Amino acid sequence: MADCFIFDAVRSPRGRGKKDGSLHEVTSLELATQSLQSIRDRNTLDTAELDDVIMGCVDPVGEQGADIARAAVLKAGYAESVPGVQVNRFCASGLEACNMAAGQIMAGQ
């Protein structure tokens, strides 16, 4: 079994979800796109070398009801060959995304 290490992470800002809150005009797709752009730019990633983008999404309805990970990959300017998967585990969505990625890496997938 291979070891797996997290070498960098980003998280989108969060708020209380009020209709007039400070983030009410920023779409979920834009937040996800900014996160992917940040991780790419901070690490000078060649996105064509990525095997997958696994993204947690607590409330997959509306705009984020489709595969927001794949949509954000494309909007962020990543290579078209990079797939994306959205994971919903309610409040543990981000943690589950990390666990899934680590499990796949450690299993050699």
Side-chain angles (χ1 to χ4, degrees):
M1 179 173 9
D3 288 330
C4 181
F5 301 94
I6 296 173
F7 71 91
D8 198 357
V10 295
R11 191 201 190 296
S12 63
R14 62 176 292 281
R16 295 198 56 174
K18 295 196 262 179
K19 293 182 191 249
D20 62 347
S22 61
L23 296 173
H24 79 280
E25 292 181 352
V26 183
T27 67
S28 53
L29 179 57
E30 185 57 34
L31 291 172
T33 298
Q34 289 174 10
S35 295
L36 290 178
Q37 289 170 332
S38 294
I39 202 92
R40 177 197 60 211
D41 296 346
R42 288 195 325 208
N43 296 284
T44 319
L45 288 178
D46 175 0
T47 60
E49 301 216 3
L50 297 177
D51 292 324
D52 207 350
V53 169
I54 302 174
M55 185 176 290
C57 181
V58 174
D59 195 15
V61 297
E63 180 183 87
Q64 65 231 28
D67 186 357
I68 193 169
R70 176 66 174 148
V73 160
L74 295 174
K75 188 168 182 190
Y78 278 37
E80 287 187 25
S81 61
V82 180
V85 64
Q86 171 180 296
V87 178
N88 172 252
R89 192 57 71 98
F90 296 102
C91 292
S93 297
L95 177 61
E96 185 64 19
C98 291
N99 290 342
M100 283 178 59
Q104 289 177 349
I105 290 166
M106 294 184 327
Q109 295 181 11

